[in-house]
Each structure stands twice: as structure tokens, then as C-alpha cells.
Amino acid sequence: MGARDRSGGDGPGASGTIGSHSAELPWTTVEHYLGRGLAASYRLSAADKPVVSYEIADGGRGIALHVELGARHRAPRSPLPAVRIDQIALAGRRMARLSTPAPELLRDFHDLLLSVADRIVFDGQSLERAFDETVHGWSALLGKVRGMSLEKRLGLHGELAVLTRVARTIGWRAALDAWVGPTGEQHDFALPEADLEIKTTASEARRHTIHGLGQLMETPGRPLWFTSLRLTRGGTSGRTLSESIKATRDAIAAENVALGRRFDGLLETSGWDADQPDDERWTPRDGPLVLRATDMPRLTFENVPESAVGRIDHVDYEVDVTGLNPTDASLPVDLSELSLP
């Protein structure tokens, strides 16, 4: 697991075996390459494991961590403006790339990347969990308050509404099995015959943020259904996210206490913290709009010109599906008249 100096020369550590600990990939080594404008790649994972590599760009343009994604996993979202996570295609592999647009933070970013890599390579964690634990660990150390953005709170509210509806059809155990978004898989729900991507907004328009070129791509052989939910502030008749979580947990625990503990674990992975302020009440504005992903405007890897592959750093975009007609086909689960738990 040595470094490959892509400039053709040898650099510090190029002949040694390294892991993902900072002592084995010291900043002085990285700084050497950056200072000379040389590119290098350090494989941090074993040869028989999915690729985790530390990348130094040529021209001193920065550093990144590449993590190979499973067939149905997606790159997690970053809540930090100084950390970007996007999905790229490299040598036939789907990879998540962690990078920073802040060159003045490269030294600290180096330590963060190695901390994430440690959790993946040595603890066997998923990228999403490794990144989440690293960020929250550093935040706790610095005394920062954890919290979910409005987008994530609304998103969790919508997913709980769909989870409850799915459970009515297939039971809570199978519904929790199907709720794969918190575990870092490509889409929010993986039902027996299809996948679901849930997007929830508080705006009047059905305008949703899509994170990455892979979020609306179908897994081969599995149709992907896109569900647009609109919530509005509900006053005293609305539901807080805490109330929806409690109602869902109570319903799950009534069937099986162990399933309730599993639900709590999924919530924690989603970023939910019961101690954070939660006084916003929501209610559905109207019924959901359900579309086959292939029937809606979207960007995927298939849309990227060949000349742009490897040169587009990050893609987040908004799609407005207001006024589109729902796909006229049999849905994998009945989502009509969806309500909050």
C-alpha cells in the first residue's frame, strides 16, 4: 500500500508501506508534494478491500480522499461549507470524493481526512458513519452544538411519513429493512421491486435540491420512483418532528421492542438529536406527487459530456416538478393521502 508519485519521480514515503494513521502519512510528506506541485496517490486500504485512497492533486491544487462506493450506496451529504463530498467515476469504479474549497485549511483538512479513513479502514465503518462520527466528534471537542438543517429536518419528516405508510403494507420489520437512506445507500427506500427517493419542501413550488449526479439514477433492473412532498407550517394542528418520531417509535415498539431500538439507531445515523430545539409544527400542504425518475428532468452521469468527466468537481442542483403529471403506472406502495405520523 505505497504511494504512487504520478509525476514519475519518487517522493517521501513512496517506497514505504502506509496505512491511514497520520503518523504513517505525515503532513510533511503531503506538504512536500504540494510544494513541488507533484501529484501522488496513497492507497490506504488493503488490496483485497474497497479502495480508500489519499489523493494529492498536481500543481499543488489540493488534497482529497477517495472512497469506493458499493453498488447501491451514495456519497453522503456534507453539512460543512468547507467540506465537499461528491460522486465521481474513476477507472470503472463509483467513488466518493472528499475535498475542500478552502486552501487555507488544507493542514486541518488533512487530519480530518485521515480520521475518516481510520474509521473506514480499521473500524470497518461506512463512509457516511465515519464522516458523521468524525465531524460530530470534532464539534463536541470544540463545544459546538449539533443540529440538523431545515432541509434535513423536513426530509426526515417526509421519510417518516413514507416509512409509516410502507409499514402498513409490509409490517414494521420489513419497512425498517427497506428504509436504507440513513445507512448511506443510493436511495431512501429499497422495496422488494423498486426504489423510492423522497424529497420534502416547505415552499409553494415543488422545488427540490438534488445532491449529486447519482441521486436520481436507477439501479439496473430496479425502477426508481421520485416522491415530492410539500409541508406547510401547521400551527397548533401541526406536528413537530419530535412528535412524529415519538408516534413512530411507539408504533414500532408496540410490535417489537427490539425494532424500536433499531429505529433509534437509524435516527441517530440520520443526524437526529433529541436535545436540539424543535418547536416547528408542520402539516402536509397537499397530496404527494409521485414520478418515475426517468419521466422527470434530471442530471445523471449519462448527461455529462465525455470531455467534462473528471473536470466537474461538484454538482448540486434544484429541480422544479411543479405542475408535472404523476406517472401513470402501478406504484410499489400506495402514497395517496399521506399524513405525518
Side-chain angles (χ1 to χ4, degrees):
M1 295 186 290
R4 300 191 310 276
D5 180 349
R6 292 197 294 257
S7 68
D10 294 329
S15 61
T17 298
I18 64 168
S20 61
H21 290 295
S22 56
E24 297 165 324
L25 181 52
W27 172 249
T28 52
T29 298
V30 177
E31 195 173 38
H32 166 84
Y33 283 101
L34 291 173
R36 294 175 180 267
L38 303 176
S41 177
Y42 285 80
R43 172 83 180 240
L44 305 178
S45 57
D48 59 343
K49 299 292 184 181
V51 174
V52 178
S53 66
Y54 186 109
E55 303 293 324
I56 305 171
D58 59 6
R61 292 184 292 112
I63 58 178
L65 186 71
H66 287 180
V67 179
E68 186 175 355
L69 297 171
R72 294 175 58 191
H73 284 69
R74 62 183 173 192
R77 303 169 191 172
S78 170
L80 308 175
V83 180
R84 289 178 176 172
I85 305 179
D86 49 32
Q87 184 173 300
I88 62 173
L90 188 65
R93 294 185 173 97
R94 292 173 55 252
M95 308 286 286
R97 175 174 57 191
L98 283 69
S99 60
T100 180
E104 70 275 13
L105 298 177
L106 284 185
R107 177 64 184 89
D108 298 302
F109 188 59
H110 164 80
D111 290 339
L112 182 140
L113 292 185
L114 292 180
S115 182
V116 172
D118 267 348
R119 286 178 162 88
I120 298 171
V121 174
F122 292 100
D123 297 338
Q125 295 183 3
S126 67
L127 170 59
E128 185 167 50
R129 181 179 175 187
F131 179 73
D132 183 70
E133 285 192 3
T134 299
V135 170
H136 288 154
W138 285 26
S139 296
L141 182 65
L142 297 174
K144 296 181 180 179
V145 178
R146 290 178 60 179
M148 298 176 72
S149 66
L150 175 61
E151 179 188 355
K152 293 196 72 172
R153 294 198 305 274
L154 289 173
L156 181 55
H157 226 150
E159 289 179 37
L160 291 178
V162 173
L163 176 67
T164 300
R165 180 59 61 84
V166 170
R168 292 182 189 174
T169 304
I170 61 178
W172 280 112
R173 184 181 299 278
L176 290 175
D177 287 341
W179 188 29
V180 294
T183 63
E185 292 209 19
Q186 183 74 9
H187 304 299
D188 293 321
F189 287 86
L191 300 175
E193 303 298 332
D195 296 321
L196 298 179
E197 186 67 33
I198 314 301
K199 289 292 182 181
T200 308
T201 181
S203 66
E204 291 190 15
R206 291 187 182 276
R207 194 174 185 89
H208 304 284
T209 301
I210 308 301
H211 299 279
L213 295 173
Q215 192 165 38
L216 294 183
M217 283 190 67
E218 291 190 339
T219 301
R222 292 178 59 82
L224 171 63
W225 293 89
F226 179 87
T227 302
S228 168
L229 305 178
R230 292 195 295 187
L231 302 184
T232 187
R233 297 186 185 277
T236 56
S237 63
R239 306 278 287 180
T240 67
L241 181 54
S242 294
E243 289 171 341
S244 285
I245 287 173
K246 182 179 185 304
T248 306
R249 181 188 293 112
D250 289 348
I252 294 172
E255 179 178 311
N256 186 299
V257 174
L259 289 180
R261 291 194 293 268
R262 182 179 170 195
F263 174 67
D264 287 339
L266 290 169
L267 284 177
E268 183 177 355
T269 304
S270 297
W272 169 249
D273 184 348
D275 294 328
Q276 64 185 323
D278 179 42
D279 56 2
E280 297 175 298
R281 294 184 174 275
W282 302 95
T283 190
R285 183 185 295 270
D286 50 20
L289 172 65
V290 185
L291 302 163
R292 179 80 180 264
T294 52
D295 293 337
M296 61 180 288
R298 61 177 182 156
L299 294 177
T300 70
F301 290 105
E302 298 169 352
N303 304 126
V304 178
E306 186 175 348
S307 60
V309 174
R311 295 185 177 274
I312 295 180
D313 278 344
H314 183 74
V315 177
D316 274 357
Y317 64 97
E318 291 188 347
V319 59
D320 190 342
V321 295
T322 307
L324 294 184
N325 293 322
T327 299
D328 185 15
S330 178
L331 303 180
V333 62
D334 181 13
L335 297 179
S336 61
E337 299 181 5
L338 199 65
S339 60
L340 300 181

